[in-house]
Amino acid sequence: MRFKYLNRTKEKISVIGMGTWKMGSLDPNTRKIELQSIKVGLEAGINLIDTAESYSLGESERMVGEAVKEKRDSVFIATKVSPDHLRYDDVIKSCEKSLERLSTSYIDLYQVHWPNPRIPIKETMRAMEKLVEDGKVRYIGVSNFSLTQLKEAEEALSRAEIVSNQVEYSIKSRAIEKDILPYAEREKITIIAYSPLARGNIPADIIPQELLDKYKATPAQLMLAWTIRPQNVVAIPKAANPQHVLQNVAASDMALDDADYSWLSSLFQ
Ligand SMILES: NC(=O)c1ccc[n+]([C@@H]2O[C@H](COP(=O)([O-])OP(=O)(O)OC[C@H]3O[C@@H](n4cnc5c(N)ncnc54)[C@H](OP(=O)(O)O)[C@@H]3O)[C@@H](O)[C@H]2O)c1
């Protein structure tokens, strides 16, 4: 597994993390496989797990807590506060509830899930800084923030900084290349790429067989290798199938050369 530094911190996060949207099933058999998938990923070297208070009505966080309980300190847990909970008191309450569901005393990265134009970002960030001060949150991040919103969030902080923006990014979804990605590269803000496998709609028919053979890769692996190529991007594919998790881990070591990277990029302009 390869690692990248989170923003300008000394924190190392795996270039391939694990997303857990729609995970945390209440069906015992499904949940067992989901839990196994996460454990397989951790064993294989992944340390970044992404969840949210809203995922499966909190069951995703509960399952993550269950998966990491014997190795909490070696895992980097990223969770999110929902856009309806961005008032000062609500952020604090949401964090407390997430800590309880995750069975932990701290969250590594607490992210604002979506901006909420009805609530001043300054109020939200004041609560985030209080959580950092109290040792309940280690780093602050945002998600689905435009460049303007990201800059506003940065300005709203006085003692901490925004270390990451979690946004959709895959070979099929390239909107962030216009402004967010270059800004984040320049400012060393980590981009956490969500839906890097286009939610499972893998364009196998477009990816050239020549490249699959050259890298001995599956289309999904090439998509991931492509996504994490910019120096400040890590990806959080969701995989509830342990075999998929292992394939995703293997993609972390696949270094696309410049020509192939450009070729793949050009096929999905
Ligand atoms: N911040 C936000 O607003 C936001 C929005 C969307 C997502 N996210 C985060 O990003 C994570 C990932 O995004 P996503 O869940 O939308 O979709 P995704 O990761 O792009 O795609 C997930 C799909 O890909 C399949 N898959 C995984 N590995 C594979 C492999 N090696 N080969 C073939 N298929 C594979 C999965 O199947 P199996 O499950 O069967 O393995 C699943 O159907 C989420 O879980 C969540 O944590 C955040």
Side-chain angles (χ1 to χ4, degrees), residues 190-203:
T190 298
I191 293 293
I192 301 182
Y194 76 65
S195 306
L197 294 172
R199 300 184 168 87
N201 298 311
I202 295 160

Side-chain angles (χ1 to χ4, degrees), residues 21 50 55 143-144 166 195 197 199 236 238 240 244 248:
W21 185 29
D50 179 71
Y55 290 175
S143 176
N144 297 301
Q166 183 179 136
S195 306
L197 294 172
R199 300 184 168 87
I236 46 166
K238 171 256 172 185
H244 283 165
N248 298 346

Side-chain angles (χ1 to χ4, degrees), residues 99-116:
L99 287 170
E100 214 177 294
R101 284 190 293 263
L102 288 161
S103 307
T104 183
S105 59
Y106 65 95
I107 289 163
D108 295 286
L109 176 64
Y110 204 33
Q111 307 158 103
V112 177
H113 203 151
W114 286 89
N116 181 343

